[in-house]
Amino acid sequence: MSTTDQTATDIRPFHVDTPEAELVGLRDRVAATRWPSKELVEDRSQGVQLATLQELARYWTTDYDDGRVESRLNALPQFTTEIDGVEIHFIHVRSQHDDALPLIMTHGWPGSVIELLETVGPLTDPTAHGGRAEDAFDLVLPSLPGYGFSREPVEIGWDLGRTARAWAELMRRLGYDRYVAQGGDVGAGVTDTMARQAPEGLIGIHTNLLVPALGGAMPTDTDEERAAAAQLATFGQSGNGYYIEMATRPQTIGYALLDSPVALAAWMIDHDTDAYYKIARAFVDGEPSGNLTRDNVLDNITAYWLTGTGASAARSYWEAYGPDAPAAGRQPLPPPEIPVGFTTFPGEIWRTPRSWVEKSYPNVVYFNEVDRGGHFAAWEEPEIFTTELRAVFRPLR
């Protein structure tokens, strides 16, 4: 990072520099893991399976290149800037093509900017990836406050709305007076909120997780709607343990996440059924699903460990969804008036019907169901994901 005298609002170049001692300490902690006995069931209903996590740990200490996080991030232009008292880290890649459309993409949990790296080339340089020059984007990938290389907040109040306002300020500082936004998971919440806040310059959004479905009843008149409602109900009954813990007691789980890299890994891969089994197959059977490879998954976990952000990332759920947070009980913002696009991926927690999207947003300009991909859509299937973004935002150029 730059050491020259600068004001808080300046944008400063950023470079990841990981001391070797931290990498040695990581390997030592993994090797010293105290393992529980094997689960008493044949599936994941008791949690992350012992065979999966032991193979992950073995690969982490013997085959994984622990310099990958540093080298992959440092291959891209990275910056930091202070917004509302928090130092925000972001990747900013300007396209070489004229009239590229600025796009800010927000990752989720248990993700980071790592999950979006495979999209950088196709989005900023489409002609090198089978696309058209007129589909190029200038790409901004911020790390959420308390995630990765963004600093963690030192006060409460960093809910989705505050982050959304910070992103609008970031785009203003970068000189963009006309831009679009995309988000998945927590990033979908931020993107949805940005659209409702309607900052000057935001002309359209796309998400791949329907945030309004988490907060209110949706129609169940058709078979498709009933199937989606059943999936949501299953998630609420047996799939959202991480959600409840982080929304109510993030500090409690934070001790394990900061002390044990294997505990951190278990917590992070136990997100949803589809993603878990894909990651398990990658480690146990050597059969990754798309880009959910062993190395890519460990890049993300390693980034959390090296930045010590397991607890602060968990607190973002308390801020956004916790009953004791300042944001709890606030009236929802009105639906956005700008164009909204949505893509349904088959492995998502629930498969969103078009009717639910149209109930949530008055100006749906794009809806598509694709045949591959899940919760980590940009990560697992970057080609499909980037094709969707080109399609939804093409009319807004």
Side-chain angles (χ1 to χ4, degrees), residues 37 179 205:
S37 58
Y179 61 94
I205 68 165

Side-chain angles (χ1 to χ4, degrees), residues 69-89:
V69 171
E70 180 175 315
S71 61
R72 293 185 75 195
L73 290 177
N74 287 341
L76 296 168
Q78 301 173 85
F79 305 89
T80 63
T81 189
E82 184 181 313
I83 302 177
D84 199 8
V86 172
E87 194 80 5
I88 299 296
H89 163 266

Side-chain angles (χ1 to χ4, degrees), residues 29-45:
R29 282 176 177 263
V30 175
T33 298
R34 185 181 183 188
W35 295 99
S37 58
K38 184 181 182 299
E39 64 280 355
L40 303 179
V41 293
E42 296 303 317
D43 56 18
R44 73 178 289 254
S45 59

Side-chain angles (χ1 to χ4, degrees), residues 250-299:
Q251 191 71 13
T252 301
I253 190 61
Y255 296 108
L257 303 183
L258 270 290
D259 185 64
S260 167
V262 168
L264 176 67
W267 190 249
M268 291 176 67
I269 68 173
D270 194 22
H271 180 271
D272 66 277
T273 300
D274 178 76
Y276 169 75
Y277 280 125
K278 287 172 178 174
I279 292 170
R281 285 195 297 271
F283 281 101
V284 176
D285 303 322
E287 298 176 357
S289 175
N291 272 332
L292 280 178
T293 65
R294 293 178 293 188
D295 287 329
N296 283 342
V297 169
L298 281 172
D299 284 349

Side-chain angles (χ1 to χ4, degrees), residues 168-247:
E169 171 62 16
L170 175 59
M171 296 303 277
R172 187 195 67 78
R173 288 187 193 178
L174 293 174
Y176 294 128
D177 56 11
R178 188 174 183 273
Y179 61 94
V180 294
Q182 145 68 29
D185 193 81
V186 175
V190 174
T191 302
D192 171 272
T193 305
M194 286 183 73
R196 294 171 189 272
Q197 291 174 347
E200 185 176 358
L202 181 62
I203 62 171
I205 68 165
H206 175 272
T207 71
N208 47 285
L209 183 79
L210 190 67
V211 174
L214 292 169
M218 288 289 165
T220 54
D221 300 322
T222 68
D223 289 344
E224 187 181 27
E225 291 171 345
R226 285 189 286 272
Q231 290 177 311
L232 254 177
T234 298
F235 172 70
Q237 292 164 1
S238 62
N240 66 344
Y242 73 91
Y243 179 100
I244 298 298
E245 178 72 14
M246 295 198 298

Side-chain angles (χ1 to χ4, degrees), residues 16-28 61 64-68 70 305-306:
V16 179
D17 185 11
T18 306
E20 179 61 25
E22 291 192 25
L23 299 175
V24 172
L26 167 59
R27 291 191 292 269
D28 289 346
T61 54
Y64 175 69
D65 175 5
D66 52 21
R68 278 174 51 96
E70 180 175 315
W305 177 261
L306 294 177

